[in-house]
Amino acid sequence: MLENITLSFQGIWAHKMRSFLTMLGIIIGIASIITIVSTIKGTNEQIKEDLIGSGNNVVDVTLKQDNTTYEMGYGGLPEGVSVISEKTRKTLEKLEGVKEVSLYRKRTWSENVFYRNTQYSGALYGIDTHYFSVNGYVLDYGRGFTDFDNRTFHKCAIVDTATSSSLFGGENPVGKVIEINKEPFVVIGVAGKLQNSGPKITTVQEYQTYAGNSSGSIFIPIDDWPIAYQYDEPQMVSVKADSTDDMTKAGKNVADALSVSQMKTGSKFSYAADDLLKRATQMQNLSSATNRQLLWIAGISLLVGGIGVMNIMLVSVTERTKEIGLKKAIGAKRKRILAQFLTEAAVLTSLGGLIGVGSGIGFSQVFSNVMGTRAAVSIPACIIAVAFSMAIGIIFGLLPAVKASNLNPIDALRSE
Amino acid sequence: MILEMTNINKDYPMGKSILHVLKNVNLTVMEKDYIAIMGPSGSGKTTLMNLIGCLDVPTSGTYMLGNRNIGTCSDNQLAEVRNKEIGFVFQSFHLLPKMTALDNVAMPLLFAGVKKKERRERAAEALKIVGLEDRMTFLPDQLSGGQCQRVAIARAIVGKPRLLLADEPTGALDSVSGKQVMQLFRELHDSGSTIIMITHDANIAKQADTMYTIFDGVLSGGEEQVE
Ligand SMILES: Nc1ncnc2c1ncn2[C@@H]1O[C@H](COP(=O)(O)OP(=O)(O)OP(=O)(O)O)[C@@H](O)[C@H]1O
Ligand SMILES: [Mg+2]
């Protein structure tokens, strides 16, 4: 066997040009497949990161009324829904897959927020002390909220970097006073999001999903919410999962627990998790489906490559009729001749496969640079590609090999 | 007894008619015989040789090689017989051009499943017998015609077969290298080989101990030649 393989390599080397041209179909086919697969994988990773935010792993659990999102802002708690206590929050953190839980209230469009005479248009959040750590905010200046701020209903606020520039121009917001529903709140800090911790907004659809974030956010202690809005409103929950793969589970666990603990049975209200992972998978499937059609085309080029291999192997059998005849005359059995030609075809196409994988990886890098998409090399795909090329060699080498092994040694020796 | 052919016929279908190439051939070969078969072109010499060498099977008649009935052998068994019992020398050498002399000689041993180290040793030994121990790594196109034929003879004897078959072994050689090759066969015979040689050269046939002639597919003769 090893002997056959080395002989095959010698044969390929002896006809470098011809071997290369024969392999070309396989090389092109495998290279396209690797390029497509790398692009699919890269795009999928990109989608997942864009939507979920790498390393952040946050799922929002929001209140639903009849399974649609409950719109805050009508004042007060809806009938049959209770405020989530700190004790409940702590028990949520013990659920499987959950790392940290933050409670907050939110107005996507806040009215009646002013700095001097400038009206603020952006989101207003009432947040607990876990919110920044869960959602990946860091303080640029000033300080964050403490339990003391919450307990004493200290009227203070933190603005994000977007608000800092839009509302305060170039000034340092720390120490300035803003008015929320006529109540003065002193700005104690400026916070920014850690890079990569938030979803990247690239489409209108995504923009709508995350509207509010881009036009700025103002945060106040969650316990100050009734000061600004007169009522206790239902809380929303940000859940940081242990890992990206835990997000769905963590979100569901928290939502289920809250749906039990916060409402009466049979209530039309419930808590539900935004399943970003599921949405990511849906988007991935959509983009993979289009790319998968390309795989068929690449498959056809492999088929053509295989036929090319068969053709050349048939030529090779004819050329080497004398060699085959001599070998059979001095005692080579059919099996040996069969194995020799099959090995030769398999070595040829495997080599083509290897070169194809190499150029496919190269192409996908070039492609991703040119098109601005991402490419990720999939090791299993590379291994399968080489194995598949080998299989092509064996399948398309079979006919020539059988032909060779069936040669009659007398006829073969006589051929000049 | 090495082989015994009884009433061997070989026909080739030629379109609608049938060509009778060998007609009721009887041939017995004993240990250490040195036989020459002579005949004009197209008389059926090579056809007979192919039958003796188990490259082909007769249309009718029985062929016993040792105590094996060749007529009942499978393809694989015939391959094994060719590999172990018979050494072929062809008019046009039939060396593989991309292999060295040593690898060409070792090839029958490869098919016999002999280990690489032993193959090389035995091939080198065979090359020494034909006087080419200093040409082991040469490729066929780096050797003269006579040397090529000696490499082919080394390949034929490397497996220590019971029977050496040579079909016009000097046909492609000039008279000097032809004589060398014939000398080699003489020596092989003296050291115990059984040889069947086909030729249409009477001078060469004279060297053999027994001579047959074949005319139009009919074999005759078999008397020992006295010098
Ligand atoms: N495969 C075949 N099919 C049909 N006819 C064949 C075949 N092989 C040989 N013959 C015929 O058999 C006859 C004998 O051929 P063979 O090759 O045995 O002659 P030969 O005595 O070896 O001649 P030469 O001295 O020229 O080599 C010829 O007429 C040839 O045409
Ligand atoms: Mg002949």
Side-chain angles (χ1 to χ4, degrees):
Chain A
M1 193 64 203
L2 208 68
E3 198 113 16
N4 270 340
I5 292 174
T6 38
L7 279 178
S8 304
F9 272 113
Q10 283 166 10
I12 289 168
W13 192 243
H15 304 276
K16 283 183 275 292
M17 193 62 190
R18 181 208 276 190
S19 306
F20 177 73
L21 290 176
T22 312
M23 285 188 283
L24 207 56
I26 305 288
I27 294 175
I28 292 172
I30 293 292
S32 347
I33 285 175
I34 292 295
T35 308
I36 294 165
V37 168
S38 304
T39 309
I40 290 179
K41 195 171 175 237
T43 311
N44 283 349
E45 281 178 9
Q46 181 104 54
I47 288 173
K48 206 166 165 182
E49 270 177 36
D50 283 357
L51 216 51
I52 295 164
S54 70
N56 202 29
N57 304 333
V58 175
V59 198
D60 266 330
V61 175
T62 51
L63 187 65
K64 307 273 174 180
Q65 177 173 13
D66 296 327
N67 294 322
T68 53
T69 305
Y70 172 76
E71 275 302 328
M72 304 265 182
Y74 302 118
L77 281 167
E79 175 92 18
V81 178
S82 55
V83 172
I84 305 167
S85 68
E86 173 63 15
K87 205 178 126 206
T88 310
R89 193 196 66 80
K90 283 208 172 107
T91 58
L92 293 178
E93 282 189 339
K94 298 207 176 66
L95 293 172
E96 200 193 339
V98 179
K99 194 168 182 186
E100 194 176 2
V101 173
S102 159
L103 305 175
Y104 68 99
R105 296 180 169 116
K106 175 183 177 184
R107 287 286 162 87
T108 311
W109 300 106
S110 54
E111 290 148 35
N112 301 327
V113 178
F114 293 90
Y115 171 62
R116 296 199 176 131
N117 289 321
T118 319
Q119 186 173 16
Y120 164 72
S121 63
L124 186 77
Y125 291 82
I127 61 170
D128 65 4
T129 50
H130 302 275
Y131 188 86
F132 279 5
S133 113
V134 167
N135 286 285
Y137 281 90
V138 282
L139 280 165
D140 291 344
Y141 325 101
R143 65 169 181 91
F145 299 135
T146 59
D147 287 333
F148 185 77
D149 290 323
N150 269 313
R151 223 168 34 238
T152 58
F153 303 104
H154 181 205
K155 289 188 276 186
C156 53
I158 294 171
V159 298
D160 72 351
T161 30
T163 310
S164 168
S165 54
S166 66
L167 200 57
F168 297 92
E171 295 176 63
N172 182 355
V174 175
K176 303 284 182 325
V177 175
I178 54 171
E179 232 176 63
I180 302 174
N181 276 337
K182 307 227 163 59
E183 292 286 340
F185 283 75
V186 62
V187 178
I188 59 166
V190 178
K193 271 216 154 181
L194 277 172
Q195 240 190 349
N196 277 339
S197 64
K200 220 185 277 168
I201 310 282
T202 47
T203 66
V204 177
Q205 199 192 355
E206 284 170 32
Y207 173 77
Q208 282 164 349
T209 315
Y210 297 100
N213 281 5
S214 56
S215 52
S217 306
I218 294 177
F219 306 97
I220 60 173
I222 191 165
D223 291 342
D224 286 357
W225 199 260
I227 299 174
Y229 291 102
Q230 281 89 44
Y231 300 105
D232 257 341
E233 285 179 5
Q235 296 127 301
M236 304 212 260
V237 187
S238 274
V239 180
K240 191 182 182 77
D242 286 330
S243 72
T244 308
D245 293 330
D246 283 328
M247 286 172 70
T248 309
K249 190 172 46 179
K252 191 178 182 306
N253 286 345
V254 169
D256 288 352
L258 287 175
S259 297
V260 171
S261 68
Q262 302 311 121
M263 10 246 147
K264 295 185 185 131
T265 45
S267 162
K268 57 185 177 179
F269 292 95
S270 64
Y271 273 99
D274 284 353
D275 201 337
L276 290 183
L277 206 59
K278 198 165 143 198
R279 274 189 45 202
T281 316
Q282 280 165 358
M283 281 180 71
Q284 286 171 353
N285 287 345
L286 203 69
S287 84
S288 305
T290 39
N291 283 327
R292 243 175 238 133
Q293 289 168 344
L294 291 174
L295 278 180
W296 283 106
I297 297 168
I300 289 171
S301 112
L302 270 187
L303 187 74
V304 174
I307 293 169
V309 169
M310 179 155 74
N311 192 25
I312 287 295
M313 291 305 293
L314 284 172
V315 170
S316 168
V317 169
T318 311
E319 277 179 358
R320 286 153 67 185
T321 301
K322 265 183 136 167
E323 172 193 330
I324 299 162
L326 182 266
K327 282 184 171 173
K328 290 190 93 170
I330 63 174
K333 291 178 184 165
R334 289 165 64 138
K335 227 169 46 189
R336 178 178 290 273
I337 305 289
L338 198 75
Q340 180 195 339
F341 279 86
L342 277 185
T343 316
E344 213 166 295
V347 167
L348 191 71
T349 54
S350 308
L351 200 64
L354 276 175
I355 298 174
V357 164
S359 26
I361 292 171
F363 278 142
S364 54
Q365 298 304 329
V366 172
F367 189 73
S368 77
N369 284 345
V370 174
M371 304 295 287
T373 55
R374 194 191 303 189
V377 176
S378 152
I379 302 294
C382 293
I383 294 168
I384 291 171
V386 175
F388 194 66
S389 339
M390 190 186 285
I392 286 177
I394 291 171
I395 291 165
F396 286 94
L398 199 60
L399 181 76
V402 166
K403 193 182 163 201
S405 71
N406 280 342
L407 275 180
N408 178 350
I410 301 173
D411 298 339
L413 280 176
R414 204 174 20 220
S415 81
E416 277 308 325
Chain B
M1 189 192 65
I2 297 262
L3 70 85
E4 185 170 36
M5 289 182 138
T6 344
N7 284 328
I8 292 284
N9 286 282
K10 182 71 193 178
D11 301 342
Y12 285 115
M14 294 294 285
K16 281 186 186 142
S17 64
I18 291 174
L19 186 68
H20 300 282
V21 178
L22 293 178
K23 297 158 189 165
N24 284 320
V25 169
N26 290 293
L27 176 67
T28 306
V29 178
M30 305 303 283
E31 209 95 21
K32 296 185 186 172
D33 274 356
Y34 187 176
I35 294 172
I37 299 176
M38 274 192 72
S41 185
S43 55
K45 302 183 296 290
T46 300
T47 306
L48 178 60
M49 182 66 103
N50 288 341
L51 290 182
I52 298 172
C54 302
L55 285 166
D56 206 350
V57 285
T59 313
S60 67
T62 47
Y63 173 22
M64 300 294 294
L65 182 68
N67 42 23
R68 203 194 296 251
N69 186 347
I70 294 304
T72 63
C73 283
S74 70
D75 239 31
N76 273 345
Q77 285 170 324
L78 288 180
E80 212 167 303
V81 169
R82 291 197 295 270
N83 185 243
K84 300 228 162 69
E85 317 272 0
I86 293 162
F88 288 97
V89 178
F90 305 95
Q91 179 174 350
S92 51
F93 327 139
H94 286 311
L95 299 177
L96 296 192
K98 291 198 186 90
M99 283 189 183
T100 62
L102 190 76
D103 286 339
N104 264 295
V105 172
M107 203 155 35
L109 301 177
L110 172 70
F111 300 155
V114 175
K115 290 249 160 47
K116 184 161 186 170
K117 189 164 170 279
E118 191 188 335
R119 276 197 323 254
R120 299 190 134 255
E121 285 166 9
R122 285 171 63 180
E125 211 175 290
L127 276 172
K128 198 169 172 191
I129 293 173
V130 301
L132 288 175
E133 63 268 42
D134 55 348
R135 293 287 188 278
M136 292 204 291
T137 58
F138 281 51
L139 293 173
D141 59 10
Q142 297 165 328
L143 296 170
S144 74
Q147 287 170 331
C148 280
Q149 194 60 301
R150 274 145 70 196
V151 171
I153 292 170
R155 180 180 63 195
I157 61 173
V158 74
K160 302 200 169 28
R162 284 209 274 179
L163 183 59
L164 263 184
L165 296 181
D167 191 350
E168 308 212 24
T170 60
L173 302 178
D174 61 76
S175 60
V176 177
S177 29
K179 275 198 186 103
Q180 280 179 359
V181 165
M182 288 318 294
Q183 175 60 28
L184 188 52
F185 275 110
R186 184 80 251 170
E187 284 165 21
L188 288 171
H189 176 247
D190 290 344
S191 60
S193 294
T194 311
I195 299 169
I196 302 178
M197 184 179 293
I198 285 178
T199 180
H200 48 228
D201 184 335
N203 283 327
I204 284 170
K206 255 188 234 155
Q207 214 195 78
D209 297 338
T210 315
M211 189 162 76
Y212 286 87
T213 44
I214 184 165
F215 278 103
D216 203 12
V218 179
L219 188 72
S220 58
E223 297 83 32
E224 257 181 59
Q225 310 189 87
V226 268
E227 222 124 320

